[in-house]
Amino acid sequence: MKKQILSLLHEAGLSRYAERFEPLIRPSFRIFTHPVDEESLSLGTSKIGGCPDLPAGTPWPYWKSYPLSFLGQINLAELPPFPEKILPERGLLLFFFAAAAMFDDDEFYHSVEKAKVLFVAEPDSADLKRTAPPNELDDYDPPVRFSPCSLDYRVEWTVPPAESSDIEQLGMSWNKNRDDFDRYWEQFRKRVWEQLLHPDDMKNRLLGCPDQIQGDMQHECQLMAYPSTDRNDKAALLRQAVRWRLLFQVDSEEEKTGMMWGDIGRLYFWIEQEALERADFSLVVCIDQYH
């Protein structure tokens, strides 16, 4: 698949970037959802929506006074074979987000605490309990509790969006090598989407490159996670920004999950490469983007 993608890069007239671009071609688990009766799912099974399967005694996560909404959980042992060893072979990843605070608190958009990822390394011995959320989550409009869906997966190879630190480090941007930047965006990326990716409009992912709606998220992640970053040192900021990798992406599938992020948007959970390599999910940045 990498050879096909590099062939499309050459066809777009971007051959001079090929050697440095190849490591940016990243595999992803594309996630497809299916509404399900949650009682039919055994404890620790992968799902989006529903109630989390938490180790007994685990407190429900909050941001300020807001209980976080449960987005989903991924049992790593259930994932299909993957071309790169990135995640542990076992474990349960649980994703939470302060959906109730999205339009209710001015500090929401600048806080990394609005999202949380819990990692249960040994779910089989963790005494998991299907845990109902706090009652406060029933009081919000629009709803911030989500309907359960079972999952299946397709491994896809993905490439960075044009507006990203990954592409900027190659020397392409709105302000530098603009002709190449336009070819990457208008020709190369379009052909990858049309020829190599599943056509379903809903794009839920684990790992890979994001299906981005707006601007550079890597740059935003660095500044949100480390507010003391020197914004004036552009070269250093770029070196720091490219360390951020997509961990999880969840789409607006209102009819299936009840999720609607702004105007048909998506949520993106990001993690630093070094933290991902050591399975440390204590610091993640969640960014929401809308059409």
Side-chain angles (χ1 to χ4, degrees):
M1 186 61 71
K2 273 193 173 186
K3 289 183 178 180
Q4 288 178 265
I5 292 174
L6 288 173
S7 177
L8 293 176
L9 192 75
H10 292 304
E11 290 176 14
L14 299 171
S15 298
R16 68 191 183 99
Y17 300 100
E19 183 175 353
R20 289 180 296 147
F21 180 75
E22 183 172 2
L24 303 179
I25 305 172
R26 294 173 178 143
S28 171
F29 292 104
R30 181 79 172 269
I31 301 171
F32 299 91
T33 59
H34 309 281
V36 68
D37 178 354
E38 192 169 20
E39 292 185 1
S40 69
L41 299 177
S42 59
L43 287 172
T45 297
S46 299
K47 59 186 173 183
I48 284 180
C51 295
D53 299 329
L54 295 171
T58 302
W60 193 274
Y62 276 71
W63 179 71
K64 292 187 173 182
S65 62
Y66 300 94
L68 272 59
S69 296
F70 173 64
L71 300 181
Q73 62 190 36
I74 304 293
N75 189 321
L76 303 182
E78 296 175 353
L79 294 173
F82 202 58
E84 294 183 2
K85 182 174 173 54
I86 301 174
L87 292 167
E89 294 181 359
R90 297 176 52 78
L92 187 66
L93 282 171
L94 301 103
F95 296 87
F96 295 83
F97 177 69
M102 283 186 75
F103 307 108
D104 204 36
D105 191 297
D106 291 340
E107 296 181 9
F108 172 85
Y109 292 99
H110 307 290
S111 174
V112 297
E113 302 298 330
K114 66 187 178 188
K116 189 173 183 65
V117 176
L118 301 180
F119 179 55
V120 183
E122 295 293 339
D124 291 343
S125 58
D127 191 18
L128 296 178
K129 304 289 185 183
R130 187 151 295 162
T131 306
N135 291 333
E136 304 101 284
L137 282 182
D138 292 323
D139 299 333
Y140 290 94
D141 185 22
V144 291
R145 289 186 61 175
F146 305 117
S147 303
C149 287
S150 63
L151 311 180
D152 58 39
Y153 306 92
R154 166 191 169 107
V155 175
E156 288 186 338
W157 287 87
T158 60
V159 299
E163 290 185 89
S164 66
S165 296
D166 281 333
I167 295 305
E168 185 180 351
Q169 74 171 336
L170 300 182
M172 289 183 279
S173 69
W174 284 103
N175 301 313
K176 189 173 183 179
N177 290 328
R178 179 60 185 272
D179 288 344
D180 287 347
F181 177 81
D182 288 343
R183 277 193 288 270
Y184 183 90
W185 188 350
E186 297 170 2
Q187 298 181 38
F188 169 70
R189 281 266 302 172
K190 182 180 179 182
R191 290 171 183 170
V192 170
W193 276 44
E194 292 176 345
Q195 298 182 29
L196 302 178
L197 301 186
H198 191 282
D200 195 318
D201 288 337
M202 295 297 104
K203 295 179 173 63
N204 304 295
R205 292 194 184 281
L206 183 71
L207 302 175
C209 300
D211 300 279
Q212 190 162 289
I213 297 172
Q214 299 173 6
D216 182 2
M217 285 186 279
Q218 292 170 291
H219 182 277
E220 187 176 352
C221 285
Q222 178 63 27
L223 295 178
M224 284 182 63
Y226 302 102
S228 61
T229 299
D230 184 355
R231 297 168 181 254
N232 295 317
D233 188 342
K234 303 298 185 182
L237 177 55
L238 183 60
R239 289 195 299 271
Q240 294 162 333
V242 297
R243 298 180 306 164
W244 288 92
R245 294 281 303 276
L246 180 71
L247 176 61
F248 181 59
Q249 171 182 300
V250 61
D251 216 325
S252 291
E253 292 193 274
E254 189 171 26
E255 292 185 0
K256 290 183 177 181
T257 64
M259 296 180 185
M260 177 56 66
W261 310 116
D263 186 9
I264 317 178
R266 298 187 184 106
L267 296 184
Y268 307 84
F269 282 72
W270 292 82
I271 187 171
E272 291 176 281
Q273 175 70 38
E274 297 84 353
L276 181 59
E277 290 172 354
R278 61 177 184 270
D280 178 2
F281 302 96
S282 59
L283 175 61
V284 295
V285 174
C286 184
I287 295 175
D288 46 294
Q289 291 193 339
Y290 318 129
H291 291 279

